[in-house]
């Protein structure tokens, strides 16, 4: 039986290795194509793939098993649960893969994309530009079809030129920038605040006007310190949890 092929991962030695591996594998599972095999490689093969010890790999797999994304069977192997979908909130410890995992596993509709003036509230991130590439997407629950969030991304034109819009139907922007375009993302800053749904957001998310929503702003920087992408995402307040763990 052919086994599922997880994505690659550049490890950050400042973060727990098992956590990074579990989130990378989680993102791969949630972003897999429908025809992808359900059987995972062996623990030894996965450990070699990620460049970690078998003990670290077991800890990562245990995390995914607890969440219900995989099941482990003695002598048969480890399998992705066919109904695997985003469940418990991701614990964000500063990993790009954690952010990818948080955004994966949803049906995505690309509403529009193309050149757009830099919004006045984002000029601090693009001081050298008058225009950026804009991408608007609507994400929905794969099972119910219920809309969960509306995302707008503003990307530097030189970076956006390498983006295949079809990739945005399968992957979050962060993963497209890093893995498809090859941007070396050095850091991402996150801001989450409560807001009231405006008419457009209420229509897209199918919620009452002025109902509570969560507004997320994420700024991705490359290794030269440039802001390459600013994401503004409106989440339905009843469908999203944002959890951050601060480790000393």
């Amino acid at each position: 039986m052919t086994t599922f092929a997880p994505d690659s991962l550049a490890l950050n030695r400042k973060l727990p290795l098992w956590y990074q591996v579990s989130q990378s594998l989680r993102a791969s599972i949630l972003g897999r194509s429908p025809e992808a095999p359900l059987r995972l490689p062996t623990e030894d093969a996965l450990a070699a793939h990620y460049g970690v010890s078998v003990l670290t790999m077991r800890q990562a797999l245990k995390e995914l098993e607890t969440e219900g994304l995989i099941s482990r069977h003695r002598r048969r192997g480890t399998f992705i649960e066919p109904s695997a979908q985003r469940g418990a909130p991701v614990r964000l410890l500063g990993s790009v893969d954690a952010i990818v995992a948080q955004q994966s596993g949803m049906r995505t509709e690309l509403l529009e994309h193309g050149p757009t003036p830099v919004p006045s509230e984002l000029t601090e991130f693009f001081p050298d530009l008058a225009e950026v590439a804009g991408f608007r997407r609507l994400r929905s629950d794969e099972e119910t079809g219920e809309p969960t969030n509306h995302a707008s991304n503003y990307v530097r034109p030189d970076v956006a030129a390498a983006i295949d819009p079809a990739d945005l139907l399968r992957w979050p922007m962060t993963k497209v920038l890093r893995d498809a375009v090859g941007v070396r993302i050095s850091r991402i800053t996150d801001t989450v605040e409560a807001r009231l749904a405006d008419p457009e957001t209420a229509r897209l998310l199918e919620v009452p006007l002025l109902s509570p929503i969560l507004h997320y702003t994420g700024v991705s920087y490359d290794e030269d310190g440039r802001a390459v992408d600013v994401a503004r995402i409106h989440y339905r307040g009843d469908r999203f949890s944002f959890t951050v763990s601060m480790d000393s």
Side-chain angles (χ1 to χ4, degrees), residues 88-93 102 240-245:
V90 175
R91 289 174 289 163
L92 295 178
L93 299 181
Q102 181 77 35
F240 182 74
S241 296
F242 189 87
T243 303
V244 178
S245 294

Side-chain angles (χ1 to χ4, degrees), residues 103 122 125-126 132-133 135 137 152-156 159 163 172-175 177 183 185 187-189 216-222 226-232:
Q103 299 172 357
L122 301 184
F125 304 112
F126 303 110
V132 290
F135 299 85
R137 289 162 296 151
S152 296
N153 288 81
Y154 302 89
V155 184
R156 295 189 67 89
V159 175
I163 294 176
M173 179 65 81
T174 305
K175 181 175 177 63
L177 291 175
V183 176
I185 297 176
R187 65 189 177 96
I188 299 176
T189 61
Y216 164 89
T217 301
V219 185
S220 298
Y221 296 87
D222 64 15
R226 297 188 313 167
V228 294
D229 168 49
V230 178
R232 298 196 300 186

Side-chain angles (χ1 to χ4, degrees), residues 76-142:
R76 289 181 53 216
T78 302
F79 296 83
I80 298 170
E81 286 296 316
S83 60
Q85 57 184 319
R86 195 169 68 91
V90 175
R91 289 174 289 163
L92 295 178
L93 299 181
S95 165
V96 171
D97 285 281
I99 293 173
V100 170
Q102 181 77 35
Q103 299 172 357
S104 298
M106 297 181 186
R107 187 175 65 196
T108 302
E109 176 186 358
L110 184 59
L111 301 177
E112 63 180 9
H113 65 92
T116 185
V118 176
S120 59
E121 65 271 25
L122 301 184
T123 54
E124 62 177 298
F125 304 112
F126 303 110
D128 57 327
L129 299 174
E131 190 176 79
V132 290
F135 299 85
R136 291 179 62 238
R137 289 162 296 151
L138 182 66
R139 297 192 186 99
S140 304
D141 185 278
E142 288 188 334

